[in-house]
């Protein structure tokens, strides 16, 4: 069995989205543990540990996981560990590194270095969250300053924000394509291709046509970008995650690496697509992908390695004390944010706040 560590199991419930559907036949091979259950003393028995969602953790949470990592590594040398919390880079650090190494043509900046931005358009997004851009395309230094002020007024964490230079990744059919590929240990697994007429490509509201379906089929079959994908993961220090990227004039450009990607959705309540050629192509491609993904996960649980004896790991008192204090602070901020959000969306009380925000934040 391998232990699958994750952040926020309520928002990303592997047990229902993967273990009960696409991963049902291998669900007995892994045990999911939420980082919120970190305690001063824990007993571990797994043959491998997959630390997903490290990029979602705070500095003190990463310290706690690093102490667990060190104890397992020193006392159970045969146990495999993935995503070293001291090596993995955040999204901002990844994009900086990929530009420095020549894999990406575009640059990223912290918001306190906004005065260094000299190429437009740009947009602002979070370093940690996976909600896409927080602004439209910003086309001048003045508009950038206004956008940052508006985000600050809205309560955004300035330390979490990053400015990203826009890259036009439209293909000849006018669609922006987002490619996605997983790394699971030594395995590189091309996944899906999404297309949209908007530059920020999301699965919701994307285009659905046969050319896109065939693109996904070829992407999964030919492994054309696999060497580049693996290099990007290695530069980021990430053993498990999903890389999202575009292709500009035949050259891939990395958008982000999600270290806790969705690996299998639960039963859908949306209206099913018609049983046409597009549906059949995509169903076959995605079924084959999930076979490979299951095989990759199974390879983590190497049954040639004996089941280890129980290992008691301990997180040091200073780290546990800091973690407890941080959790209390996070709970207080969450309650305050909820009050502010309810006020902002109130039909009456929030009207002046919404008007002010619209005036401050330009839309691209």
């Amino acid at each position: 069995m391998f232990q699958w560590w994750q952040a926020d199991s309520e928002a990303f419930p592997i047990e229902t989205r993967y273990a009960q559907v696409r991963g049902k036949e291998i669900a007995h091979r892994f045990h999911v543990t939420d980082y919120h259950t970190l305690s001063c003393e824990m007993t571990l028995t797994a043959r491998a540990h997959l630390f997903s969602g490290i990029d979602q953790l705070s500095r003190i949470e990463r310290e706690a996981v690093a102490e667990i990592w060190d104890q397992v590594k020193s006392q159970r040398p045969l146990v495999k560990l993935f995503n070293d919390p001291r090596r993995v880079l955040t999204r901002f650090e990844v994009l900086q590194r990929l530009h420095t190494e020549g894999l990406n043509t575009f640059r990223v900046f912290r918001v306190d270095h906004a005065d260094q931005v000299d190429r437009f358009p740009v947009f602002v997004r979070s370093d940690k969250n996976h909600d896409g851009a927080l602004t439209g395309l910003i086309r001048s230094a003045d508009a950038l300053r206004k956008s940052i002020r508006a985000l600050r007024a809205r309560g955004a964490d300035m330390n979490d924000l990053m400015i990203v230079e826009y890259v036009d990744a439209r293909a000849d059919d006018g669609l922006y394509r987002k490619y996605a590929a997983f790394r699971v240990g030594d395995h590189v697994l091309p996944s899906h291709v999404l297309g949209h007429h908007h530059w920020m490509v999301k699965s919701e509201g994307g285009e659905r046509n046969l050319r896109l379906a065939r693109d996904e089929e070829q992407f999964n079959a030919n492994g054309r970008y696999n060497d580049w994908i693996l290099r990007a993961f290695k530069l980021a220090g990430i053993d498990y995650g999903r890389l999202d990227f575009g292709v500009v004039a035949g050259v891939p450009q990395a958008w982000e690496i999600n270290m806790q990607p969705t690996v299998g959705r639960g039963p859908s309540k949306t209206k099913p697509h018609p049983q046409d050629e597009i549906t059949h192509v995509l169903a076959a491609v995605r079924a084959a992908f999930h076979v490979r993904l299951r095989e990759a996960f199974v390879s983590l649980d190497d049954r040639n390695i004996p089941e280890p004896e129980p290992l008691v790991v301990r997180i040091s008192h200073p780290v546990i004390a800091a973690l407890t204090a941080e959790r209390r602070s996070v709970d207080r901020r969450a309650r305050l944010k909820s009050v502010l959000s309810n006020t902002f969306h109130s039909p009456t009380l929030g009207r002046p706040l919404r008007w002010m925000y619209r005036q401050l934040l330009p839309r691209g």
Side-chain angles (χ1 to χ4, degrees):
M1 177 177 289
F2 73 91
Q3 193 149 355
W4 193 338
W5 299 75
Q6 71 162 116
D8 197 354
S9 58
E10 291 185 5
F12 303 96
I14 291 172
E15 293 90 342
T16 53
R17 290 190 179 180
Y18 188 64
Q20 294 183 12
V21 188
R22 294 285 197 177
K24 185 175 182 179
E25 63 187 74
I26 65 166
H28 64 288
R29 305 293 291 269
F30 62 83
H31 172 70
V32 177
T33 301
D34 195 305
Y35 293 118
H36 288 158
T37 65
L38 287 172
S39 59
C40 58
E41 186 173 290
M42 305 178 74
T43 301
L44 308 178
T45 59
R47 274 187 288 255
H49 291 267
L50 179 63
F51 293 97
S52 68
I54 293 291
D55 54 341
Q56 302 298 301
L57 302 184
S58 67
R59 179 189 60 80
I60 195 65
E61 286 173 324
R62 285 177 72 145
E63 284 189 29
V65 174
E67 291 190 356
I68 292 173
W69 176 287
D70 291 345
Q71 291 171 69
V72 175
K73 188 175 180 65
S74 64
Q75 299 182 53
R76 296 288 187 269
L78 293 181
V79 170
K80 293 187 282 188
L81 302 168
F82 301 90
N83 285 348
D84 185 338
R86 292 194 178 97
R87 288 183 60 243
V88 298
L89 303 181
T90 66
R91 177 186 293 131
F92 179 81
E93 294 167 338
V94 168
L95 295 180
Q96 267 197 329
R97 182 77 181 276
L98 295 183
H99 178 262
T100 299
E101 296 293 332
L103 274 73
N104 276 353
T105 61
F106 64 92
R107 299 172 298 172
V108 292
F109 305 84
R110 291 293 189 190
V111 292
D112 56 355
H113 292 156
D115 59 331
Q116 297 178 11
V117 177
D118 56 6
R119 293 206 302 249
F120 292 90
V122 296
F123 59 92
V124 180
R125 70 169 305 177
S126 166
D127 186 5
K128 181 179 290 188
N129 297 324
H130 297 278
D131 300 327
L134 298 174
T135 67
L137 294 182
I138 302 167
R139 303 183 183 276
S140 70
D142 183 58
L144 177 58
R145 287 191 291 270
K146 289 181 179 179
S147 295
I148 293 171
R149 285 199 301 269
L151 290 167
R152 182 182 288 112
R154 186 78 179 269
D157 180 358
M158 293 292 104
N159 294 321
D160 179 54
L161 298 185
M162 57 193 288
I163 303 164
V164 185
E165 291 181 336
Y166 167 74
V167 177
D168 190 343
R170 275 175 295 187
D172 57 8
D173 59 359
L175 292 179
Y176 296 87
R177 282 166 171 75
K178 182 171 74 173
Y179 297 77
F182 283 71
R183 181 185 184 188
V184 182
D186 295 329
H187 302 265
V188 174
L189 308 169
S191 175
H192 56 263
V193 180
L194 301 178
H196 207 292
H197 284 286
H198 191 274
W199 61 272
M200 189 173 67
V201 182
K202 289 288 188 181
S203 57
E204 302 84 7
E207 293 296 310
R208 183 178 184 274
N209 62 51
L210 188 57
R211 180 175 173 181
L212 277 173
R214 293 297 184 191
D215 284 350
E216 185 168 314
E217 183 179 51
Q218 292 177 14
F219 176 54
N220 275 258
N222 61 27
R224 177 182 176 184
Y225 302 113
N226 282 13
D227 291 343
W228 179 90
I229 291 166
L230 184 58
R231 187 182 173 200
F233 273 110
K234 287 182 175 179
L235 286 172
I238 296 174
D239 308 310
Y240 169 73
R242 188 193 72 219
L243 170 65
D244 294 341
F245 65 98
V247 177
V248 181
V251 179
Q253 298 286 295
W255 306 143
E256 67 173 331
I257 297 178
N258 185 339
M259 291 182 59
Q260 190 163 291
T262 300
V263 290
R265 300 183 185 277
S268 175
K269 296 180 180 180
T270 60
K271 184 179 179 180
H273 290 299
Q275 294 301 302
D276 53 14
E277 186 176 2
I278 300 170
T279 301
H280 291 306
V281 170
L282 291 178
V285 171
R286 293 173 186 180
F289 162 77
H290 278 285
V291 169
R292 298 194 303 273
L293 184 63
R294 288 193 294 269
E295 290 171 349
F297 283 140
V298 167
S299 72
L300 303 182
D301 182 28
D302 186 353
R303 289 186 170 173
N304 293 318
I305 298 175
E307 193 79 37
E309 293 294 321
L311 170 63
V312 177
V313 296
R314 295 176 176 85
I315 301 174
S316 64
H317 177 72
V319 172
I320 279 293
L323 187 60
T324 300
E326 180 180 74
R327 286 171 174 169
R328 289 172 180 162
S329 178
V330 168
D331 288 342
R332 288 195 297 270
R333 288 199 303 270
R335 290 193 294 270
L336 176 59
K337 188 175 181 179
S338 177
V339 171
L340 292 174
S341 178
N342 290 338
T343 302
F344 184 85
H345 292 99
S346 167
T348 53
L349 295 176
R351 187 175 300 164
L353 292 176
R354 292 192 297 272
W355 178 87
M356 180 182 70
Y357 191 73
R358 284 195 300 269
Q359 301 308 305
L360 286 172
L361 184 60
R363 294 290 179 183

